[in-house]
C-alpha cells in the first residue's frame, strides 16, 4: 500500500495497543495471571512477540525498538517533571524513612555492581570452556535486571552501532528474564513471608480490582490526576504532555550544542540521553517553580504519563525480541540470567533480613526494582502494604538519591571502559570495589545488623 506519510511507527504503536487490550482481558479472566500479578503489558507483549516471530504480523522489529527507546526517555523526563511527595510526621519518623531510603539506595548500588562483577566473571568462565563471548554479553545482566529494559535497549543500540550484532535482542532478553524473576519468584517470596509472619501489616487484602487489573461498573476508581489548566484554554493532559515534549527538545538541543563544542558524540554517549532528559526535567521543574508556574506541573498526571510510557516501553520491548537470536545464544543467556537471578534473590533476602523496621517490605520492593523496574517494586510492595501505610513506598520514591553515585559510576565504566583502556579484569576490580564500598557504608550507617526475621 502506498501512503502519503510513513505509517510504520503508528502501526507499530497500534499493535502495542492491541497487545495491551488482550493483556487486560487475559489478566481479568485467567487466575494464573492474577495470582502472580502479571501486568497486561507483559502478557500482551509475550503474545505479540510470538506473533511477530511467526511472521504473522507484517511489521518490523526495528519500529518497536524505536518506540521502546523513545518511551524510555519519556518515562525519565516525566520522572524529572514530577515533584516528590513531602514526608510528613514526627522527626523520628522522618529519620526512619531517610534511613530506609539510604538502605535501599546502598543495596541498589551494590546490586548493580555485584551483578556486573558476576556477569564479567561468567564471561571469563565461558571463555575457559571455549565459548567466547563479548564482555557486553555479561554486562547485560545488570543493565537488564537493575536498570531495566530501557537501558538494555539504549546501550544495545549503541553497541550494535559499534559492531556487536544482535546486541539489542540479547539485552532485551535479559530484561524479560528479569521480569520473570520479579513476578514468578517475587510473588512466592511474598506468600512465604506472609505465611511466616515476617510482614508488619500481616496479610494484605488486595481489592478485587487490583487482582483483576481493571475496574468493574460500580467500583470507585482512583483519580487520574488534577487539572492545572482549563480545558477551554488547553486540555490538561495536552499541557502535561507538552511539558514532556518541551524537555525532550531542550535535551536534544543540549546534545546538539555539545556536538558543536566537542565534535560528534559517540553512540555510547547517546545512551545517556535518558539521564540528561531527567536532569533537564528536574531543572525545568525548579525554574518553573521559581517563576511562580510550578503548580502547573501536576504530579499525579505526570506520574500517569510515566506509567503510560513504561507500559508501552515494556510491550514494545517484548514484541521486538527475536527468538531465533535468543535460541542461538540460549546456553550462555540462560546460564548468566538464571545465576544472576539466583544471586539477586539470595542477596536481597540476606540483607533484607538484617535491616531493622520494615525489613521484609523494603526487601520485596527492592527485589522488584533490582529485577524489573521501580513500578514492579511498588506492585510487589502493595501486596504486603496495600494502602502504603508503612512509608516504604515513599522510601522507594527517593532511594535513587543515594543509589545514583554507584549507578552512574557503574554505567560510566560499562560504557567507556574501551575508550579508557580498561579490560575485563580492570572492570571486575572496579565493580567489586563499588560493591564493597556500598556494603561498607551499610555497616557504617548501622543498616547491616543482626538477623531480624
Amino acid at each position: 500500500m502506498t501512503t502519503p506519510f510513513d505509517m510504520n511507527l503508528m502501526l507499530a504503536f497500534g499493535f502495542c495497543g492491541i497487545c495491551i487490550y488482550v493483556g487486560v482481558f487475559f489478566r481479568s479472566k485467567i487466575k494464573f495471571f492474577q495470582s502472580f500479578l502479571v501486568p497486561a503489558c507483559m502478557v500482551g507483549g509475550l503474545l505479540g512477540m510470538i506473533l511477530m516471530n511467526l511472521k504473522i504480523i507484517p511489521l518490523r522489529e526495528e519500529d518497536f525498538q524505536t518506540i521502546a527507546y523513545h518511551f524510555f526517555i519519556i518515562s525519565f523526563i516525566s520522572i524529572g517533571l514530577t515533584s516528590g511527595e513531602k514526608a510528613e510526621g514526627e522527626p523520628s519518623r522522618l529519620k526512619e524513612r531517610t534511613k530506609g531510603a539510604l538502605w535501599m539506595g546502598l543495596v541498589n548500588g551494590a546490586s548493580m555492581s555485584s551483578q556486573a562483577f558476576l556477569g564479567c566473571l561468567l564471561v571469563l568462565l565461558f571463555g575457559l570452556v571455549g565459548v567466547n563471548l563479548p564482555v557486553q554479553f555479561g554486562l547485560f545482566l545488570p543493565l537488564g535486571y537493575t536498570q531495566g529494559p530501557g537501558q538494555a535497549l539504549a546501550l544495545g543500540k549503541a553497541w550494535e552501532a559499534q559492531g556487536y550484532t544482535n546486541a539489542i535482542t540479547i539485552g532485551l532478553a535479559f530484561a524479560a528474564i528479569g521480569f520473570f524473576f520479579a513476578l514468578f519468584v517475587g510473588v512466592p517470596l511474598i506468600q512465604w513471608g506472609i505465611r511466616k509472619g515476617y510482614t508488619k501489616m500481616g496479610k494484605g487484602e488486595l481489592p478485587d480490582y487490583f487482582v483483576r487489573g481493571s475496574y468493574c461498573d460500580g467500583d470507585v476508581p482512583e483519580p487520574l490526576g488534577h487539572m492545572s489548566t482549563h480545558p477551554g484554554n488547553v486540555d490538561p493532559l495536552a499541557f502535561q504532555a507538552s511539558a514532556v515534549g518541551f524537555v525532550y527538545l531542550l535535551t536534544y538541543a543540549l546534545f546538539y550544542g555539545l556536538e558543536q563544542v566537542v565534535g560528534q558524540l559517540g553512540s555510547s554517549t547517546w545512551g545517556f540521553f535518558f539521564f540528561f532528559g531527567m536532569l533537564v526535567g528536574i531543572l525545568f521543574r525548579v525554574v518553573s517553580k521559581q517563576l511562580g508556574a510550578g503548580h502547573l506541573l501536576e504530579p499525579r498526571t505526570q506520574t500517569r504519563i510515566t506509567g503510560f510510557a513504561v507500559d508501552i516501553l515494556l510491550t514494545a520491548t517484548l514484541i521486538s525480541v527475536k527468538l531465533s537470536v535468543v535460541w542461538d545464544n540460549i546456553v550462555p543467556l540462560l546460564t548468566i540470567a538464571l545465576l544472576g537471578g539466583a544471586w539477586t534473590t539470595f542477596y536481597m533476602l540476606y540483607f533484607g533480613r538484617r535491616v531493622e523496621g520494615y525489613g521484609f517490605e523494603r526487601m520485596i520492593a527492592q527485589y522488584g526494582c533490582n529485577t524489573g523496574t521501580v513500578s514492579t517494586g511498588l506492585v510487589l510492595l502493595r501486596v504486603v502494604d496495600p494502602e502504603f501505610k508503612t512509608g516504604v513506598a515513599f522510601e522507594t520514591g527517593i532511594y535513587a538519591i543515594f543509589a545514583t553515585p554507584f549507578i552512574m559510576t557503574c554505567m560510566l565504566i560499562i560504557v567507556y571502559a574501551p575508550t579508557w583502556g580498561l579490560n575485563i579484569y580492570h572492570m571486575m576490580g572496579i565493580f567489586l570495589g563499588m560493591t564493597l564500598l556500598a556494603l561498607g557504608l551499610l555497616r557504617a550507617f548501622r543498616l547491616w545488623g543482626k538477623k531480624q526475621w
Side-chain angles (χ1 to χ4, degrees):
M1 179 184 295
T2 302
T3 59
F5 299 98
D6 186 356
M7 307 289 286
N8 289 328
L9 285 179
M10 291 307 298
L11 291 174
F13 180 75
F15 184 62
C16 288
I18 292 174
C19 291
I20 289 176
Y21 257 76
V22 172
V24 169
F25 176 78
F26 283 173
R27 168 69 179 266
S28 68
K29 299 296 182 181
I30 300 177
K31 187 70 174 178
F32 175 80
F33 295 140
Q34 295 176 3
S35 298
F36 288 95
L37 305 176
V38 184
C41 60
M42 190 169 180
V43 177
L46 288 172
L47 176 62
M49 176 178 64
I50 294 170
L51 295 177
M52 284 289 294
N53 281 273
L54 291 176
K55 306 299 182 185
I56 295 175
I57 306 299
L59 296 172
R60 303 180 305 174
E61 288 90 353
E62 292 79 5
D63 292 326
F64 292 100
Q65 292 167 0
T66 299
I67 288 174
Y69 174 74
H70 289 295
F71 274 89
F72 169 57
I73 295 169
I74 286 172
S75 69
F76 270 82
I77 289 175
S78 184
I79 289 172
L81 291 171
T82 305
S83 57
E85 173 191 356
K86 294 182 179 179
E88 298 178 356
E90 299 297 326
S92 59
R93 189 66 171 165
L94 301 182
K95 182 179 179 181
E96 170 68 15
R97 290 189 178 186
T98 303
K99 287 181 64 177
L102 177 60
W103 180 87
M104 284 189 168
L106 293 175
V107 164
N108 188 266
S111 172
M112 181 169 184
S113 53
S114 64
Q115 288 172 352
F117 176 84
L118 177 62
C120 290
L121 177 62
L122 292 173
V123 166
L124 288 177
L125 293 178
F126 269 106
L128 293 178
V129 296
V131 180
N132 295 316
L133 300 170
V135 66
Q136 292 92 336
F137 197 103
L139 293 175
F140 273 128
L141 175 60
L143 291 174
Y145 276 46
T146 299
Q147 289 298 289
Q151 191 59 273
L153 172 66
L155 282 187
K157 183 71 172 177
W159 285 335
E160 281 195 0
Q162 297 170 7
Y164 180 12
T165 306
N166 294 319
I168 292 177
T169 295
I170 298 299
L172 296 182
F174 270 101
I177 296 172
F179 275 99
F180 276 95
F181 268 95
L183 299 173
F184 298 112
V185 177
V187 172
L189 275 178
I190 290 172
Q191 295 169 342
W192 168 75
I194 292 173
R195 190 168 60 251
K196 292 289 188 177
Y198 296 149
T199 62
K200 298 296 183 183
M201 305 301 292
K203 183 178 180 180
E205 293 296 332
L206 295 174
D208 289 340
Y209 60 77
F210 183 86
V211 175
R212 192 171 56 244
S214 58
Y215 292 96
C216 289
D217 189 23
D219 291 334
V220 180
E222 302 173 33
L224 284 171
H226 301 291
M227 294 195 297
S228 62
T229 59
H230 195 280
N233 177 32
V234 58
D235 185 85
L237 180 58
F239 180 80
Q240 302 301 324
S242 296
V244 175
F246 193 174
V247 172
Y248 201 113
L249 185 61
L250 289 175
T251 309
Y252 185 85
L254 172 63
F255 271 60
Y256 179 81
L258 285 174
E259 281 202 338
Q260 304 310 303
V261 175
V262 303
Q264 185 173 358
L265 299 175
S267 55
S268 297
T269 302
W270 280 92
F272 284 102
F273 194 96
F274 78 99
F275 181 72
F276 283 95
M278 183 178 66
L279 293 181
V280 174
I282 294 172
L283 180 61
F284 185 90
R285 174 164 52 84
V286 170
V287 172
S288 296
K289 185 176 181 179
Q290 293 299 316
L291 295 176
H295 64 284
L296 294 176
L297 291 171
E298 206 281 304
R300 279 195 174 187
T301 307
Q302 286 296 334
T303 299
R304 297 277 66 79
I305 291 175
T306 303
F308 159 65
V310 169
D311 279 344
I312 297 296
L313 154 68
L314 293 178
T315 305
T317 291
L318 290 170
I319 292 172
S320 64
V321 172
K322 299 176 183 177
L323 292 179
S324 60
V325 175
V326 173
W327 182 251
D328 290 340
N329 297 272
I330 193 67
V331 173
L333 175 62
L334 281 183
T335 300
I336 295 175
L338 293 179
L339 287 177
W343 158 251
T344 304
T345 304
F346 165 78
Y347 164 83
M348 290 306 309
L349 275 170
Y350 179 86
F351 287 101
R353 302 183 84 167
R354 286 162 174 80
V355 60
E356 295 179 355
Y358 300 111
F360 189 88
E361 288 78 6
R362 288 171 181 147
M363 180 277 295
I364 203 63
Q366 270 302 299
Y367 187 76
C369 293
N370 292 334
T371 52
T373 64
V374 173
S375 298
T376 314
L378 289 173
V379 167
L380 294 180
L381 173 63
R382 190 166 180 179
V383 181
V384 293
D385 184 11
E387 299 179 13
F388 293 149
K389 290 182 177 180
T390 63
V392 176
F394 172 79
E395 297 168 7
T396 305
I398 65 171
Y399 81 83
I401 297 172
F402 305 106
T404 295
F406 296 92
I407 299 300
M408 287 308 300
T409 300
C410 288
M411 287 298 300
L412 288 170
I413 298 301
I414 289 173
V415 172
Y416 293 112
T419 305
W420 296 341
L422 302 178
N423 59 33
I424 190 170
Y425 299 103
H426 297 136
M427 297 170 72
M428 290 175 65
I430 295 172
F431 294 141
L432 180 59
M434 295 294 294
T435 302
L436 294 177
L437 174 60
L439 298 183
L441 289 173
L442 278 176
R443 180 73 76 179
F445 286 109
R446 299 181 180 178
L447 298 173
W448 177 1
K450 295 181 180 180
K451 192 174 179 181
Q452 303 293 314
W453 44 274

